[in-house]
């Protein structure tokens, strides 16, 4: 009887373990990629502010790039209200128009927003305090660049090419590219790039900006009339040969006479 009881308990445990494992698998979401796992990070937190809809023009940042098109960035004031407000303020002051992407690392990110173009500049406004949040550094994420001081963000930002989760909660992510990422991918690489790509114009969509207009090619420089430099070889002179006179007719030969 004891043997039969032991066998019954073993069979019950074997049946219970798969059931328990199935319940655990149903409770835990299955992620197809690390990016998707990071996007639902802390999804069970209550009281989190609701993000604005992606159709809210007041929170759509438009960057017309010299790489050929317009980039649309969904701003997230629900997680970074101070940085989003800074971006809007500077954009409406046309601060970003003409600025370059001065530090662009392939497979990592493109950094811009510096009026000095070397990573040391910013606006005349005070620095923005850190607003580290749950948004991950996935492809297309837009975050505030800063110095060693966590509270030193100002005007500079970067757009992520490929996921870099080691930066999560160390930099303020305040937006995400939702259209035009192909134009971000075309940004010239380098630290600094030899021929840096530029922000032609930046807009807030609510301000009814004009449609994107491709940059016109730079006109050719007017160098004026040709100049002969000292010591330059003189222009060769073409000499037309004189016409030779027609040959004179030879005198008619005398008829041979017989010798007497």
């Amino acid at each position: 009887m004891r043997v039969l009881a032991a066998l019954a308990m073993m069979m019950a445990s074997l049946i219970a373990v798969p059931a328990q494992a199935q319940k655990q698998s149903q409770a835990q979401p299955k992620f197809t990629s690390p990016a998707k796992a990071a996007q639902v990070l802390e999804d069970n937190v209550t009281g989190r502010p609701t993000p604005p809809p992606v159709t809210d023009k007041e929170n759509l940042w438009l960057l017309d790039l010299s790489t050929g098109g317009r980039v649309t960035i969904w701003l997230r004031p629900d997680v970074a209200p101070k940085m989003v407000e800074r971006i809007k303020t500077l954009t409406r002051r046309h601060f970003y128009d003409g600025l370059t992407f001065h530090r662009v690392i392939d497979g990592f990110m493109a950094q811009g927003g510096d009026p000095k173009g070397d990573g040391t500049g910013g606006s005349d406004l005070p620095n923005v305090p850190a607003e580290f949040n749950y948004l991950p550094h996935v492809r297309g994420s837009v975050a505030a660049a800063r110095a060693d001081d966590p509270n030193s963000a100002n005007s500079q930002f970067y757009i992520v090419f490929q996921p870099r989760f080691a930066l999560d909660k160390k930099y303020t992510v305040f937006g995400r590219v939702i259209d035009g990422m192909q134009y971000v991918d075309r940004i010239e690489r380098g630290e600094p790039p030899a021929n840096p790509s530029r922000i032609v114009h930046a807009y807030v969509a609510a301000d009814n900006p004009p449609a994107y207009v491709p940059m016109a090619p730079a006109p050719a420089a007017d160098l004026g009339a040709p100049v002969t430099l000292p010591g330059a070889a003189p222009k060769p002179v073409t000499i037309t040969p004189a016409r030779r006179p027609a040959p004179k007719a030879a005198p008619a030969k005398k008829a041979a006479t017989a010798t007497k």
Side-chain angles (χ1 to χ4, degrees):
M1 294 295 294
R2 293 181 179 179
V3 174
L4 292 175
L7 288 174
M9 292 178 61
M10 289 177 62
M11 290 299 294
S13 63
L14 289 174
I15 295 172
V17 169
Q20 183 179 3
Q22 185 178 5
K23 290 181 180 179
Q24 290 179 348
S25 65
Q26 291 174 351
Q28 299 295 329
K30 294 182 179 180
F31 303 123
T32 57
S33 68
K36 289 186 176 181
Q39 285 176 318
V40 297
L41 188 65
E42 301 174 356
D43 191 46
N44 59 344
V45 175
T46 58
R48 176 178 295 167
T50 303
V54 294
T55 55
D56 179 13
K57 292 185 176 181
E58 182 59 31
N59 288 296
L60 293 180
W61 190 29
L62 309 179
L63 300 181
D64 288 357
L65 302 188
S66 62
T67 56
R70 173 169 289 177
V71 178
T72 302
I73 297 169
W74 178 33
L75 299 176
R76 295 292 302 271
D78 55 308
V79 295
K82 294 183 176 63
M83 193 64 210
V84 168
E85 185 60 34
R86 173 58 53 85
I87 290 293
K88 293 179 183 178
T89 298
L90 294 179
T91 297
R92 286 169 168 149
R93 286 170 47 175
H94 305 286
F95 175 87
Y96 290 107
D97 294 1
L99 298 189
T100 64
F101 288 92
H102 63 274
R103 181 171 178 255
V104 186
I105 303 174
D106 194 29
F108 180 19
M109 58 89 218
Q111 181 176 340
D114 178 12
K116 291 186 177 181
D118 60 4
T120 64
S123 73
D124 59 350
L125 300 176
N127 288 341
V128 179
E131 296 176 293
F132 303 156
N133 54 71
Y134 65 89
L135 293 181
H137 281 73
V138 294
R139 175 170 167 79
S141 292
V142 185
R146 62 172 177 80
D148 291 338
D149 181 358
N151 300 311
S152 60
N154 190 286
S155 66
Q156 295 188 45
F157 65 94
Y158 59 92
I159 305 175
V160 179
F161 290 129
Q162 298 296 335
R164 191 60 67 95
F165 301 125
L167 301 180
D168 289 357
K169 297 187 178 182
K170 298 177 183 177
Y171 292 82
T172 299
V173 179
F174 63 87
R176 179 84 180 273
V177 174
I178 59 173
D179 188 50
M181 191 64 191
Q182 67 269 31
Y183 306 118
V184 176
D185 290 334
R186 295 178 189 172
I187 294 175
E188 187 76 16
R189 270 59 166 171
E191 299 181 71
N195 184 26
S197 304
R198 296 179 177 272
I199 301 171
V200 181
H201 295 291
Y203 305 102
V204 177
D207 297 339
N208 297 318
Y212 173 80
V213 177
M215 290 183 62
D222 183 9
L223 301 179
V227 177
T228 302
L229 300 177
K235 184 178 180 181
V237 179
T238 302
I239 302 175
T240 303
R243 296 182 63 184
R244 298 177 65 182
K248 296 181 179 180
K253 291 184 178 181
K254 294 182 178 180
T257 58
T259 301
K260 292 183 179 176

